C-alpha cells in the first residue's frame, strides 16, 4: 500500500471532488502553506499516486439504461480456440460505442458494462449483438438501476 | 442527445485524456484560436456537458483483485419488507471501503463492484459479508480480470 499521510489523503479527496481547484484554493481549505500543497501534489504526481486528470460528462451524454453483462463461452475441445474466441468477442465488443467497458472474467468469461437510451433498446442490443454469438454457454444480464455509490461511473466511462 | 459539433467533441476527447491541459495547449492541438476554445469550454461547462473535473488514482492505490457481485433477495410475503431489506444491504455495502460501487438491480437485486488485495481476500470478503446475509436467493460473483476497455475504472472508483 502507498505511504500516504493524512495531508496527502486530504489533498487527493479534494482533487477527486474538483480537480480544477488551484493550489491556493486547496491550501486555504486545508489551512496549509501553498508551498506545502504544491510540493505534495508534485510528489503525488511523480509517484503516480495521481495517474491522470480527467472530466466526467454530464447526464445529457450518458446512456439512460445501463446493464452489466456476463458472457461465458462453451469450452471447446481445442483450448487454443477458446483463447482466440474470447479475444475476438472482447475486441468486437470494445469497438461498439454503447459498450462502456469490457474485461476478461476467468478462463472462459467476459464481463461488459453496456448502455443505451432505453431498457428496450438495451435488451435488443444484447439479443442482437451478444446472444446471437455462436457457442456461448451462458449470458447473464443485470440491469444497473440506481447507484448509491460510484454514481459518476457512467459519466466517466461514456465516450464522445 | 446533446447538440455537439465536431469541435466540441474534439475538446471533450482531449480533456478526457488530460484535463490539466491549458486553453492555449488545446487551441494549439486543434489549430483554433484560444478565444474559441475558451468560449466552447465555458459553454460545455454551463450546459453541464462537462459535469466535473476529477483525478484517476494510480495502481499503487488500486485493489489488485476486482469482482462484480450480483445479489438477489428472497421475495418475501410482505413487499414493503423487500424494499427496506434491499435498501439496508445497499447502505451497509456502500459504507465498506472495498465496495467501489453499489447499485440497485431490478426489484429484488443489487449489483456491486468489489475490490481487494488478492483473489483469496476478495472471496473471503464475499463469503463473510455477502453470502452470510440472511434470506438471499442468489449470489453471483464474476471476477474482473483484464480490461480491454474502461481500464481506468478502478483508479476512478477507488477511495482514499
Amino acid at each position: 500500500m502507498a505511504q500516504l499521510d493524512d495531508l496527502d489523503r486530504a489533498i487527493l479527496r479534494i482533487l477527486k471532488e474538483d480537480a480544477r481547484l488551484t493550489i491556493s484554493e486547496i491550501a486555504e481549505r486545508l489551512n496549509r502553506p501553498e508551498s506545502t500543497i504544491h510540493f505534495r501534489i508534485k510528489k503525488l504526481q511523480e509517484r503516480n499516486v495521481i495517474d491522470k486528470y480527467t472530466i466526467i460528462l454530464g447526464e445529457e451524454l450518458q446512456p439512460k439504461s445501463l446493464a452489466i453483462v456476463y458472457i461465458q463461452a462453451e469450452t471447446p475441445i481445442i483450448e487454443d480456440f477458446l483463447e482466440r474466441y474470447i479475444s475476438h468477442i472482447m475486441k468486437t465488443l470494445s469497438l461498439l460505442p454503447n459498450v462502456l467497458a469490457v474485461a476478461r472474467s476467468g478462463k472462459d468469461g467476459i464481463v461488459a458494462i453496456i448502455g443505451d437510451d432505453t431498457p428496450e433498446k438495451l435488451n435488443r442490443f444484447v439479443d442482437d449483438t451478444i446472444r446471437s454469438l455462436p457457442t456461448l454457454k451462458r449470458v447473464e444480464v443485470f440491469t444497473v438501476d440506481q447507484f448509491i455509490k460510484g454514481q459518476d461511473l457512467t459519466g466517466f466511462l461514456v465516450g464522445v
Side-chain angles (χ1 to χ4, degrees), chain A:
Chain A
M1 206 42 164
Q3 302 236 328
L4 300 173
D5 67 9
D6 288 347
L7 180 58
D8 290 327
R9 289 179 192 277
I11 293 169
L12 292 174
R13 275 193 290 265
I14 287 174
L15 289 174
K16 271 190 143 242
E17 274 311 301
D18 185 358
R20 247 184 340 165
L21 290 174
T22 62
I23 303 276
S24 84
E25 285 167 324
I26 299 169
E28 202 177 317
R29 282 205 198 183
L30 295 174
N31 202 21
R32 295 292 188 113
E34 282 187 34
S35 57
T36 305
I37 302 298
H38 180 264
F39 175 78
R40 292 296 187 109
I41 290 178
K42 193 167 155 269
K43 282 285 163 212
L44 290 167
Q45 285 170 185
E46 281 170 8
R47 286 170 58 195
N48 204 41
V49 172
I50 299 172
D51 181 35
K52 256 184 177 181
Y53 290 75
T54 190
I55 52 171
I56 299 171
L57 299 178
E59 279 191 16
E60 210 184 337
L61 285 180
Q62 293 176 25
K64 303 291 162 279
S65 284
L66 209 67
I68 288 169
V69 180
Y70 171 74
I71 304 164
Q72 192 180 21
E74 201 86 67
T75 313
I77 300 158
I78 305 152
E79 260 220 31
D80 180 50
F81 179 80
L82 179 66
E83 205 46 50
R84 279 184 289 141
Y85 186 56
I86 294 267
S87 297
H88 169 74
I89 300 176
M90 287 180 68
K91 211 170 288 171
T92 308
L93 288 176
S94 72
L95 296 174
L96 301 171
N98 49 345
V99 176
L100 306 185
V102 186
R104 183 73 180 254
S105 179
K107 217 176 121 149
D108 56 358
I110 297 166
V111 283
I113 303 176
I114 289 173
D116 220 318
D117 295 338
T118 65
E120 293 72 31
K121 278 195 184 178
L122 188 68
N123 281 331
R124 213 174 313 139
F125 175 81
V126 172
D127 285 344
D128 295 352
T129 318
I130 296 173
R131 287 194 209 275
S132 64
L133 291 165
T135 63
L136 294 187
K137 194 155 116 192
R138 187 178 164 204
V139 177
E140 300 273 3
V141 181
F142 305 106
T143 61
V144 179
D145 293 321
Q146 187 139 26
F147 282 98
I148 71 158
K149 189 173 187 175
Q151 37 274 87
D152 285 334
L153 186 89
T154 318
F156 172 71
L157 289 175
V158 72
V160 270

